[in-house]
Amino acid sequence: MRVLLIYPQFPKSFWSFEKTLELVGFKAQLPPLGIVTVAAILPQTWEFKLVDRNVRDVTSDEWEWAELVLLSAMIVQKADFRAQIQEAKRRGKRVAVGGPYPTALPEEANTAGADFLILDEGEITLPLFVDAVERGDRTGIFRSNGEKPPVTDTPIPRFDLLQFDAYAEMSVQFSRGCPFQCEFCDIIVLYGRKPRTKTPDQLIAELQRLYELGWRRSIFMVDDNFIGNKRNVKRLLHDLKRWQEENGYPFAFATEASVDLAQDPELMQMMVDCNFGAVFLGIETPDADSLALTKKYQNNRDPIVDSVMRIAQSGLRVMAGFIIGFDGEKKGAGDRIAQFVEQTAIPTAMFSMLQALPDTALWHRLGREGRLLSERGDGHQATLMNFMPTRPLEDIAHEYVQAFWTLYDPITVLNRTYRHFLVLGEAHRRNQQEHPRTNSTGSPDVNWATIWALLIICWRQGVVRKSRWRFWVNLISLTVRYPAVVGNYLSVCAQAEHFLDYRQIVRSQIEQQLNEYLSQYPAERQQVAEVNVAA
């Protein structure tokens, strides 16, 4: 069987980093880990070709070669997902689909023309699909019926199918699932609330494979909550530190974790010792009432400002996600989020309007209340809310656009990044004194591409923009005080090139969608929705 694996295009979003990637010659931030894992689970007697549409287009020869086309997608990729299904069918190909988007909305994949729907987790449903193909079936829908497979038998992904030089980072996964119950989150719907982990040997075998294939840059652990099972994570980190030492620390890591990471100094130190350099936190909002309403109780256990600072002081660069539009939210939420980000000096703050994603607890509640405007959530930052909120949507939208604009003002983001790296610089100095380490990957590779990128950043941020004087003052100060972190500081400064462009997209698209909404839904319906919620 000749299988053409296609990964659909992402729209421009907070995480797409087009402007930053252009500077250093990469095509995409991360590779499609899910689809290369699928390739490893399918029979290895089959032949595979992979096309990541974020890197390049499918060629005519590849379409001709394929006997079966297989796509995997998230909801945010739905436009290109449907387009590729339709193109495959136009060419007379059988199409199989899977991933979070078809799993959440299988009827949309079916309507688009897919022949096989391989839903839920592939360790269970892919063998069912293979059996059906070998029987000669032409269509089929395969589900796990609520069963969550162990990931201890998941094979090493087919990293060899990837075009390594196209990606800024590599990705691996240690666990699936999250123990918490946030109302808006689809992760616990897809993967459950009991975190399932690979064994340390299993994950290290994946790293060894990447090492053998020549990868030497950063790796993102794509777990939705890396510390969901702290006992198993500490076992992994114990073995990972030894592997890193034996191989000269070839990889730097980043991941996602819950804010309660701050309550475990031992775990933070173990992560730093293994060359973890950054962690993404789902902070969502500084408003305690909103956190309680959305059942994100873990963020209310300790003051969030203190938690963020403890994590940064351990040596982990903090990235964070924020959301506006929770029920019962008071006016000024956008300003409070912007003030919180400034207070904690978080350089990279992802900000979006709340979306009710399919099959989440929020989606079901809003459906019962008759408040869903659309049963589809687009899931990126230039999208209006898909439900009727408890305060005027136009107020939320205006606060969102203004806060996003403020967060990524050239001087504001530059100073915030500088202040964060002062904390990281001091942490790095302390860690080097207490746990000395040499030959460590983490800073960007020095080559002509990075030198050219540095020159462009210096020109734009240090000459052209209003940040010109502050750019040089901050850079010289950091170089004198903490030279070891300057490379990573400049990398985060380079990310600002994307955000400065993306805030324009957010403003124009949100304002356009808001005008359409206001013309479609009269004030009377908004008032009724508010009364119903209050009742």
Side-chain angles (χ1 to χ4, degrees), residues 120-142:
D120 304 316
E121 296 184 61
E123 287 85 353
I124 293 174
T125 54
L126 281 166
L128 301 177
F129 162 69
V130 171
D131 290 344
V133 169
E134 292 179 346
R135 284 195 306 267
D137 293 358
R138 306 297 294 180
T139 61
I141 299 176
F142 312 98

Side-chain angles (χ1 to χ4, degrees), residues 195-300:
R196 292 159 287 140
T197 72
K198 296 176 179 176
T199 66
D201 286 347
Q202 193 178 359
L203 195 281
I204 287 173
E206 295 184 16
L207 299 179
Q208 183 65 38
R209 179 59 176 151
L210 287 169
Y211 184 86
E212 291 166 354
L213 290 169
W215 185 262
R216 293 295 185 277
R217 295 196 298 278
S218 296
I219 294 177
F220 198 91
M221 295 261 192
V222 299
D223 304 36
D224 294 288
N225 186 357
F226 179 63
I227 65 167
N229 185 325
K230 291 185 179 180
R231 182 192 64 178
N232 285 2
V233 164
K234 288 182 179 180
R235 289 174 176 172
L236 168 68
L237 294 173
H238 176 271
D239 291 357
L240 178 57
K241 181 182 178 183
R242 182 172 63 248
W243 186 88
Q244 286 272 69
E245 289 172 344
E246 291 171 352
N247 291 278
Y249 289 87
F251 303 137
F253 297 99
T255 193
E256 302 179 39
S258 45
V259 176
D260 60 326
L261 171 64
Q263 300 169 8
D264 196 330
E266 178 192 30
L267 178 53
M268 290 188 288
Q269 188 60 56
M270 292 179 76
M271 291 174 67
V272 171
D273 289 345
C274 287
N275 214 21
F276 277 76
V279 61
F280 180 88
L281 307 174
I283 293 174
E284 321 311 355
T285 175
D287 296 346
D289 289 346
S290 292
L291 290 171
L293 185 145
T294 199
K295 299 183 179 179
K296 203 172 181 81
Y297 304 118
Q298 66 273 21
N299 283 20
N300 278 336

Side-chain angles (χ1 to χ4, degrees), residues 320-444:
F322 296 88
I323 296 173
I324 191 170
F326 290 108
D327 279 3
E329 185 178 73
K330 295 180 177 62
K331 185 176 181 179
D335 287 341
R336 291 192 295 276
I337 288 172
Q339 290 164 7
F340 178 91
V341 173
E342 279 302 297
Q343 181 182 2
T344 52
I346 298 172
T348 308
M350 190 196 79
F351 190 27
S352 62
M353 300 182 76
L354 182 60
Q355 293 281 319
L357 297 176
D359 212 25
T360 59
L362 175 64
W363 185 83
H364 286 293
R365 175 170 69 82
L366 294 174
R368 291 192 301 271
E369 294 171 358
R371 295 168 57 197
L372 285 175
L373 301 175
S374 169
E375 294 192 351
R376 304 175 183 89
D378 285 333
H380 67 87
Q381 296 72 38
T383 306
L384 212 58
M385 301 165 71
N386 65 339
F387 65 93
M388 194 76 70
T390 58
R391 63 188 181 109
L393 182 55
E394 57 266 41
D395 290 355
I396 298 172
H398 290 317
E399 286 184 22
Y400 171 60
V401 170
Q402 182 57 49
F404 205 109
W405 196 263
T406 299
L407 285 170
Y408 289 102
D409 172 82
I411 294 180
T412 301
V413 68
L414 185 66
N415 282 335
R416 195 166 68 236
T417 302
Y418 169 70
R419 288 186 284 117
H420 197 74
F421 272 86
L422 289 178
V423 176
L424 294 179
E426 185 58 36
H428 181 272
R429 177 179 291 172
R430 184 188 66 251
N431 282 322
Q432 279 296 97
Q433 290 171 348
E434 298 174 0
H435 311 275
R437 188 172 73 217
T438 58
N439 191 27
S440 170
T441 295
S443 295

Side-chain angles (χ1 to χ4, degrees), residues 6-10 52-54 71-73 77 80-81 84:
I6 300 179
Y7 194 56
Q9 275 186 330
F10 285 95
D52 180 352
R53 293 250 310 136
N54 301 282
L71 299 98
S72 176
Q77 296 167 286
D80 195 51
F81 174 80
Q84 297 308 307

Side-chain angles (χ1 to χ4, degrees), residues 37 103 502:
T37 302
T103 295
Y502 190 62

